[in-house]
Amino acid sequence: MKSKKFYVTTPLYCVTAKPHIGHAYTTVAADVLARHLRSKDLPVHFQTGTDEHGSGIEKTAGEKGVAPKAWCDRISAEFRALWKTLDISYDHFLRTTDASHEAGVQAVFERLLKTGDIYKGYYEGPYCASCEAFYDESELKEGRCPVHGTPAGRVSEETYFFRLARYEKALLEHYERHPDFLSPRYRAQELLNFVKSGLKDISVSRTRVSWGVPVRSDPGHTVYVWFDALLNYATGPGYGPERPSAGFAQVWPADVHLVGKEIFRFHGVVWPAMLLALGVELPRKVYAHGWWTINGAKMSKSRGNFIMAEDVVRDYGVDALRYFLLREMPFGQDGDFSMEAFRRRYNADLASDLGNLFSRVMNMAAGYLEHRLPHKPEGSPVFSELSSRTPEIDRSIEALQFSEALEQIWRGVSRLNRLVDERKPWDLARKDPAALRAFLNEMVWCLRLVAGWLDPFMPATASRMHLQLGVGMTSGGVEPQKVPPLFPRKHDDKPGAPGNN
Ligand code: MSP
C-alpha cells in the first residue's frame, strides 16, 4: 500500500428504511478492509453513518406519526445496533443531523457562493419527488422518472446551482491521470461517457423541502440532500473551508469510497467536482460494487422480499453472513442471494471444509499432544507452502477482491483436509505415536495460519480458533481441548427442523 494511513468509507445509509443485507454488504466489505490493514499496522480511519435529511424522510416520519428527528434517531440507532451485531469496527458513525456536519455543510455552501461556484438561478422542468431530483427532459423515460418509473412532475422555482459544467475538463484530466480513480474499470466507461457528453450545472438547494440544512445566507432554501450527504466524507474528520482540523489533515485524502453502482455518478463526478471547487485534494479511489437480487428479483417494498441481516444471523451466526456476502459474488459484480445458496455454502464451506478440519485436528491434538502446545515446526513443507500464500491473499484483499481472497484461503483449507486424509492420523495413532505428534504439531501451526487469514473476514471465529490453538499464550500454558463444532451443520430452513438450532 502506498499510503501511510488509510481512510475508508461506506455511503451514508438513508433512514427511510430499516437496514437490510444490501446495506450490510458495503459495510462488511469496508470492515474487512479496515481490519486487514489495521493488522498490518496501518492507522485506519473507517467512517460510516446515516443520511437523514430530505422530504422522503419527513414524509416517512409523518406517516409514522413522529417528528423527523425522532424517526432519524430510531432508524439510525437500528443501523448502529446492526453494525454492533455484525462486528463492524468503524471509527466514526456520522449522522447528517450532527451539528458539526450541518455547520460544515453551511460553511461550504457559503464558501462556494463566494467563489461563484454556486449561484442563484431559476429552474423549470421535470422533478421526481421520490428522488428529490430535477431531471433533464432527455433523461426521462416516456415522461417518467428513470429511477422510480413514476410520472415526473413539473416544477418551476428559484434554486441555487453548482457549476458542475465548469469542472468537466478537470474531471476528465483527473480520470486520465488516475486510471484507478473510478473502479472497477468496467464500470468506469459509463461515467466517462456521461462526462464527455457534456456536464450541466446542478441544482443544490430546495425551497420545497423543509427537513434539510438551511442555506445560512438565504434560509428559505435548504441544501439539496446529496450535496449535504457527500460532504460527510470531509466534515466527519473535521473539514471546514476556513480551517480544516488537524484530524482532517491526518486522514485526508480518502483512500477509498465504497459505494453501490447506483450512486457511482454522485461519487465519481459530483463529489470530485465539489472538492475541485473547494481546492481540496481528491480521494484516491471510488469503488462501485454490484447489487444483490433476492431469488432473482430486486429487493423492494412492493415485493416485500427484503432479507434482514438479523434473521440470517439468528439462524446461522454473524460470521456465516459475513462470509457468504463476500464469498458468493465477486466484489464489483451483481449476484443473487437465496437462502438455499446460503445453506449450501454454509454446510459445504463452513461446516464441512473448515469446521470438520478444525475439530478433527483439535480433537486429536487434545488426546495426543500430551496436553502441551506444540512448537513451530522447523522445515515443515506444508507449513512453508501455506505461509507462502499469505502475500497473494493480502494482495487480493487490498485490491478489494474479497471473494478471490476467500477462494485462496479455502484452497489452503482443502490442502490441509487432503493432508489429513492422506496421512491418516487415526492409523498413525496406533502405528507411530511420535509421527502422529509431529503431524498434529504441524497441523496446529497450519491452523494458526488459517485463523490469521480468516481474522478480517470472520473475527469471532478466528478468535475462537486462536484461543483453542493457544495463540498469544506462552508456550505450554494452554492445553489443547476437544472443541464443539465451529459451524454446526444445518439441515433445513424451517424452524425447529433437526439440526437447525
Ligand atoms: N443515502 C445515499 C448515499 C449517500 S452517500 C453520501 C444512499 N443510501 S441507500 O441507503 O439508499 O443505499 C446505500 C447503499 O446501500 C448503496 O450504495 C449500496 O451500497 C447499498 N445497497 C442497498 N441495496 C443494495 C442491494 N440490493 N445490493 C447491494 N447493495 C445495495 O444511496
Side-chain angles (χ1 to χ4, degrees), residues 168 172 175-176 189 191-199:
E168 185 180 309
L172 289 171
Y175 301 150
E176 175 105 27
Q189 197 53 44
L191 253 61
L192 286 177
N193 294 344
F194 171 70
V195 178
K196 280 183 188 155
S197 71
L199 292 176

Side-chain angles (χ1 to χ4, degrees), residues 372-373 375 448 470-479:
R372 298 295 301 275
L373 272 175
H375 296 286
R448 286 180 174 190
V471 172
M473 305 292 169
T474 46
S475 174
V478 164
E479 293 183 1

Side-chain angles (χ1 to χ4, degrees), residues 320-373:
L321 176 62
R322 290 177 62 109
Y323 173 77
F324 182 83
L325 288 174
L326 294 186
R327 174 66 185 83
E328 182 72 0
M329 76 182 189
F331 202 63
Q333 291 171 27
D334 295 329
D336 190 56
F337 195 114
S338 75
M339 285 319 295
E340 285 73 33
F342 192 99
R343 197 173 53 248
R344 225 177 300 126
R345 251 195 204 290
Y346 175 93
N347 280 333
D349 301 1
L350 299 179
S352 295
D353 293 350
L354 177 66
N356 280 353
L357 171 70
F358 190 66
S359 33
R360 281 205 286 180
V361 172
M362 292 315 286
N363 291 341
M364 289 203 87
Y368 295 97
L369 280 184
E370 295 174 344
H371 305 293
R372 298 295 301 275
L373 272 175

Side-chain angles (χ1 to χ4, degrees), residues 11-14 20 22-23 25-26 51 226 229-230 232-233 259-260 262-263 267 289-293 299 329:
L12 293 190
Y13 301 107
C14 285
H20 54 68
H23 306 120
Y25 184 51
T26 327
D51 187 355
W226 270 102
L230 285 166
N232 89 85
Y233 303 124
V259 301
E262 84 289 6
I263 55 174
H267 286 82
H289 65 69
W291 265 55
W292 289 99
T293 51
M299 246 191 293
M329 76 182 189

Side-chain angles (χ1 to χ4, degrees), residues 16 20 45 74 81 138 141 168 201 210 225 227 254 310 326-327 426 434:
T16 33
H20 54 68
H45 188 69
R74 189 191 297 173
S138 63
K141 291 201 173 119
E168 185 180 309
D201 294 350
S210 57
V225 276
F227 191 87
E310 288 92 343
L326 294 186
R327 174 66 185 83
W426 44 92

Side-chain angles (χ1 to χ4, degrees), residues 39-91:
S39 78
K40 305 282 167 200
D41 293 328
L42 200 61
V44 170
H45 188 69
F46 169 13
Q47 182 167 298
T48 185
T50 40
D51 187 355
E52 305 188 0
H53 290 125
S55 58
I57 286 155
E58 198 175 9
K59 188 163 160 261
T60 310
E63 284 164 8
K64 307 280 173 190
V66 289
K69 183 60 167 53
W71 174 258
C72 294
D73 289 348
R74 189 191 297 173
I75 305 294
S76 184
E78 286 191 26
F79 273 95
R80 230 181 301 207
L82 179 61
W83 301 158
K84 189 160 194 288
T85 304
L86 295 185
D87 273 333
I88 305 299
S89 63
Y90 62 78
D91 297 292

